[in-house]
Amino acid sequence: AQSVTQPDIHITVSEGASLELRCNYSYGATPYLFWYVQSPGQGLQLLLKYFSGDTLVQGIKGFEAEFKRSQSSFNLRKPSVHWSDAAEYFCAVGLNAGNNRKLIWGLGTSLAVNP
Amino acid sequence: NAGVTQTPKFQVLKTGQSMTLQCAQDMNHEYMSWYRQDPGMGLRLIHYSVGAGITDQGEVPNGYNVSRSTTEDFPLRLLSAAPSQTSVYFCASSYRSRSGAPEGTQYFGPGTRLTVL
């Protein structure tokens, strides 16, 4: 069965430090991959996505992610974290399902940023 | 564009009451979805629609009804509220790509926090 795993439930980093959030998926074909961010009390906002082509994708707010087929991973990175990056981060995999594209969601990683 | 709007933002119901959560989008998106978000369970799809007049069930449809009479609106109805339906509800929309399939990028509303006593 298709699944998305975000191994880290909660991560704390210091402001200015680098960040890597992990995402692993289980799917037989090449998936469509997404990272979303949810600030407290808000809806989800797309950070970046991978459909095909260059495996390193750039997103908003200085985030990037790299698709590694051999590791079934799509990890999110940021070189220098800002206090405003404190939020919940969700990885999602898009699967073609007939006339629809079904999204499989990870359970999220909560990021706290120390000043 | 207002994007995806949801009303109300907060709602408290008693067990057995019914209500409708409203969702509207002004981006002319064909695809719309309802999710619920619960601690430790992530986002779960309740119902979705691939266009006006067409709806289908997601992972957790029991206790909820939807309809899609227009492209813009996708209301979610709770027929007889239960405490297990206490959750945060998100509506999302997405557009069709050139290939005809949904592009996959979802635009989310701000959510409705529902408490059922």
Side-chain angles (χ1 to χ4, degrees):
Chain A
Q2 302 93 354
S3 65
V4 176
T5 302
Q6 293 181 244
D8 304 303
I9 296 174
H10 186 87
I11 286 181
T12 301
V13 299
S14 298
E15 191 169 17
S18 63
L19 172 70
E20 183 170 34
L21 302 183
R22 295 181 292 164
C23 174
N24 295 96
Y25 65 89
S26 172
Y27 181 51
T30 299
Y32 302 89
L33 299 160
F34 305 84
W35 274 100
Y36 284 82
V37 60
Q38 184 180 26
S39 297
Q42 304 293 317
L44 282 76
Q45 180 185 20
L46 180 71
L47 278 176
L48 47 78
K49 61 189 177 186
Y50 171 80
F51 281 9
S52 64
D54 193 346
T55 56
L56 183 63
V57 293
Q58 303 297 320
I60 62 172
K61 305 185 181 188
F63 285 91
E64 66 177 26
E66 186 171 12
F67 169 53
K68 292 186 177 180
R69 185 190 305 274
S70 61
Q71 298 177 19
S72 298
S73 69
F74 189 56
N75 294 349
L76 182 72
R77 300 194 294 250
K78 187 170 184 177
S80 177
V81 170
H82 188 262
W83 64 266
S84 60
D85 293 324
E88 189 92 14
Y89 291 81
F90 292 92
C91 179
V93 171
L95 315 173
N96 283 329
N99 196 34
N100 198 2
R101 182 160 293 155
K102 180 181 177 183
L103 285 182
I104 307 293
W105 294 87
L107 296 185
T109 297
S110 177
L111 174 66
V113 180
N114 286 335
Chain B
N1 286 350
V4 180
T5 57
Q6 292 183 239
T7 56
K9 284 194 173 183
F10 301 94
Q11 183 70 49
V12 179
L13 293 178
K14 294 181 180 178
T15 297
Q17 287 184 314
S18 63
M19 79 159 296
T20 300
L21 307 185
Q22 301 292 344
C23 173
Q25 53 93 7
D26 61 358
M27 298 173 282
N28 203 32
H29 286 172
E30 290 185 272
Y31 297 91
M32 297 186 74
S33 307
W34 275 104
Y35 293 91
R36 59 178 291 174
Q37 184 179 38
D38 302 289
M41 305 197 73
L43 283 167
R44 292 183 292 170
L45 182 65
I46 305 171
H47 285 285
Y48 66 95
S49 168
V50 299
I54 307 170
T55 64
D56 205 348
Q57 297 180 349
E59 303 170 63
V60 288
N62 293 341
Y64 307 95
N65 273 0
V66 292
S67 60
R68 185 95 179 272
S69 56
T70 67
T71 300
E72 295 78 19
D73 300 300
F74 191 42
L76 178 72
R77 297 182 187 84
L78 279 70
L79 307 173
S80 177
S84 61
Q85 294 179 303
T86 294
S87 186
V88 181
Y89 291 85
F90 289 101
C91 179
S93 70
S94 60
Y95 54 87
R96 185 194 294 271
S97 70
R98 291 178 190 161
S99 67
E103 193 269 342
T105 302
Q106 304 239 344
Y107 296 80
F108 283 82
T112 295
R113 185 174 295 274
L114 175 68
T115 301
V116 182
L117 303 175

